[in-house]
Amino acid sequence: MKLLDKYILKKFLTTYVFAVLILVAVILVIDFTEKNDDFIKTNPSVGEIIFDYYFNLIPFYANMLSPITVFIATVFVTAKLASHTEIVAILSSGVSFRRLLVPYLMGSALIAGIIFVLIGWVIPNANKESVAFQIKYIKSPFTYDSRNIHIKIAPETYVYMESYNNTANIGYNFAIENIEGTRLKQKLTSNSISWNAEAEKWRIDNYTIRTFDGEEETIFKGTSLDTTLNMWPKDFESTYKLEQTMTLPQLSNYINEKRARGADDIEVYLIEKYERFSYPFAIIILTVIGVIMSARKARGGVGFQIALGFFLAFVFIIFVITSRSLAQVGDIAPQIAAWIPTVIFSGIGLLLYRYVPR
């Protein structure tokens, strides 16, 4: 690594860290102002507010702002170098513009690698604490209100409930069916099914089992049955920000489990998964765009370039939010939605690199 690389890399990384700290601090103050009434109402301890909530919220916001902060840091550092005629001196000495990009790429690749590890394994564990705090002290008590619940618990076994009370862990008008191909082989029906926490089993009361063998039907009635099913009370608990509390392996396993059950609400989890892979690439792309935009010396100073940097960074966030919303309603595939902002800004970067004078 040459002296020039160290010089630019140091400025870039220190500016990035400073931008992260400033923006996160501002957001935390705003968040506290908004939630202060909730804290007064639910009365959590100071330790819980600081350590369970805000301490675990810091890495979440730092990651969420990473595209903005990287872009701002790039524009700020490069514009300052250009305003001091350092960029002109570097290029006049025979260093190509591609070579000038090297320290920026090194810095952005380092940040992208750290971000990928954080969003894949570290931040989800921190989110478990902050989300649990929000559910306990900020959100209203959760009530499972879905009706006519269908769950596939095995390749040929399906569960149906008319409703479920997540407070008492009781399901009403319960049925479990075993279907081979298109033929119903066995069906168990009951007015209710309840969770036995001590035995960690489901208790089915006053049940009827109908077994079908060709044209023959056998009926058996019982008063009580304890059984294990591939179904748990946690399946009916709050899913508030659940996707943010899972590591990448946990997220993949959860998506596979939901697919195996025939669930049709996995878009939000797929978006979360694919965005974690696209985020690091977005950081590198935005860094390149930032250098291209701010490498020229502006007559009016660096203010306009920094403002333009803010604008483009927020345009990127708008693209992310829009594509995510479209994927959640099923208008586009989650894989495409996660990569649309990165692909679009990659195209913008190529156009800028080719046509913007430096």
Side-chain angles (χ1 to χ4, degrees), residues 268-325:
V268 65
Y269 304 100
L270 288 170
I271 294 168
E272 177 71 19
K273 177 181 177 180
Y274 293 120
E275 280 186 350
R276 294 187 189 185
F277 287 97
S278 66
Y279 236 54
F281 290 96
I283 288 173
I284 297 174
I285 295 300
L286 289 171
T287 300
V288 174
I289 293 175
V291 176
I292 296 171
M293 286 182 52
S294 53
R296 293 186 67 191
K297 183 175 181 179
R299 291 183 179 180
V302 300
F304 174 76
Q305 291 165 301
I306 294 175
L308 187 58
F310 268 102
F311 173 75
L312 279 180
F314 280 105
V315 168
F316 176 80
I317 296 299
I318 291 172
F319 267 102
V320 171
I321 295 173
T322 303
S323 60
R324 182 183 298 174
S325 300

Side-chain angles (χ1 to χ4, degrees), residues 24-64:
V24 169
V26 170
I27 289 178
L28 292 182
V29 170
I30 295 173
D31 185 86
F32 179 79
T33 303
E34 290 180 347
K35 294 185 172 61
N36 190 39
D37 290 340
D38 294 316
F39 295 155
I40 294 173
K41 186 186 299 182
T42 56
N43 197 32
S45 67
V46 175
E48 288 177 310
I49 294 174
I50 295 175
F51 296 106
D52 291 350
Y53 184 53
Y54 283 111
F55 183 78
N56 290 300
L57 210 58
I58 290 172
F60 171 76
Y61 280 131
N63 165 67
M64 185 181 71

Side-chain angles (χ1 to χ4, degrees), residues 228-241:
T228 57
L229 300 172
N230 186 21
M231 180 179 74
W232 309 90
K234 66 179 182 179
D235 296 330
F236 308 97
E237 294 175 357
S238 172
T239 57
Y240 175 70
K241 295 184 178 181

Side-chain angles (χ1 to χ4, degrees), residues 20-147:
V20 168
L21 294 176
I22 291 296
L23 289 178
V24 169
V26 170
I27 289 178
L28 292 182
V29 170
I30 295 173
D31 185 86
F32 179 79
T33 303
E34 290 180 347
K35 294 185 172 61
N36 190 39
D37 290 340
D38 294 316
F39 295 155
I40 294 173
K41 186 186 299 182
T42 56
N43 197 32
S45 67
V46 175
E48 288 177 310
I49 294 174
I50 295 175
F51 296 106
D52 291 350
Y53 184 53
Y54 283 111
F55 183 78
N56 290 300
L57 210 58
I58 290 172
F60 171 76
Y61 280 131
N63 165 67
M64 185 181 71
L65 296 170
S66 57
I68 296 177
T69 48
V70 164
F71 195 77
I72 292 171
T74 304
V75 171
F76 182 81
V77 169
T78 311
K80 290 289 287 185
L81 291 175
S83 67
H84 296 158
T85 324
E86 293 178 84
I87 298 289
V88 175
I90 292 170
L91 297 177
S92 299
S93 67
V95 176
S96 67
F97 188 79
R98 288 185 181 180
R99 181 62 183 84
L100 179 65
L101 286 173
V102 170
Y104 290 100
L105 292 174
M106 292 169 60
S108 61
L110 175 63
I111 294 171
I114 294 173
I115 288 294
F116 180 71
V117 174
L118 289 177
I119 61 179
W121 290 269
V122 179
I123 293 177
N125 289 317
N127 286 343
K128 285 183 174 69
E129 299 292 334
S130 63
V131 170
F133 179 92
Q134 293 176 61
I135 293 173
K136 184 176 181 181
Y137 293 111
I138 299 173
K139 301 293 292 182
S140 301
F142 173 74
T143 301
Y144 189 87
D145 56 3
S146 295
R147 307 282 295 183

